[in-house]
């Protein structure tokens, strides 16, 4: 599992557990806390108003998890770019390393 995935899942679970509607069964609570698929499946078996509240909470938690995963991934990519730019700036491409030696023999 990638870091962004782990962060997204942890964010989803944190947000959904804080926003679950009152009146859910323990099974529905467990399913909703596990994944958005579980929340949507549980919501289909609930009365209309309660199911809509669960779907809304799950969608908000999923969006929050997705956004957090995107931010973490962007930060990691940015740090990798900085490391590459500062640590590998002296490394020449493979084709350039051969050119000076070939030019010396031609002279």
């Amino acid at each position: 599992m990638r870091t962004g995935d782990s962060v997204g899942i942890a964010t989803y679970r944190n947000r959904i557990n804080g926003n679950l509607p009152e009146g859910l069964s323990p099974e529905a609570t467990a399913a909703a806390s596990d994944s958005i698929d579980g929340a949507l499946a549980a919501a289909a078996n609930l009365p209309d108003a309660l199911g809509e509240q669960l779907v809304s909470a799950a969608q908000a938690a999923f969006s929050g998890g997705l956004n957090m995963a995107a931010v973490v991934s962007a930060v990691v990519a940015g740090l990798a770019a900085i490391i590459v730019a500062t640590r590998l700036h002296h490394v020449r491409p493979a084709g350039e390393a051969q050119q000076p030696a070939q030019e010396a023999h031609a002279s």
Side-chain angles (χ1 to χ4, degrees), residues 15-107:
R15 290 184 184 211
I16 192 70
N17 288 331
N19 294 316
L20 288 172
E22 296 291 324
L24 290 179
S25 68
E27 294 82 17
T29 299
S33 296
D34 188 45
S35 69
I36 191 168
D37 290 336
L40 296 176
N45 297 321
L46 296 173
D48 290 341
L50 189 57
E52 288 174 13
Q53 290 174 354
L54 180 56
V55 168
S56 179
Q59 288 173 338
F62 181 79
S63 295
L66 187 62
N67 289 339
M68 184 61 71
V71 167
V72 168
S73 297
V75 168
V76 169
L79 289 173
I82 290 170
I83 290 169
V84 167
T86 59
R87 301 288 181 169
L88 299 177
H89 62 87
H90 65 280
V91 176
R92 294 182 182 193
E96 285 185 26
Q98 298 297 325
Q99 290 175 354
Q102 290 173 352
E103 290 173 5
H105 292 296
S107 319

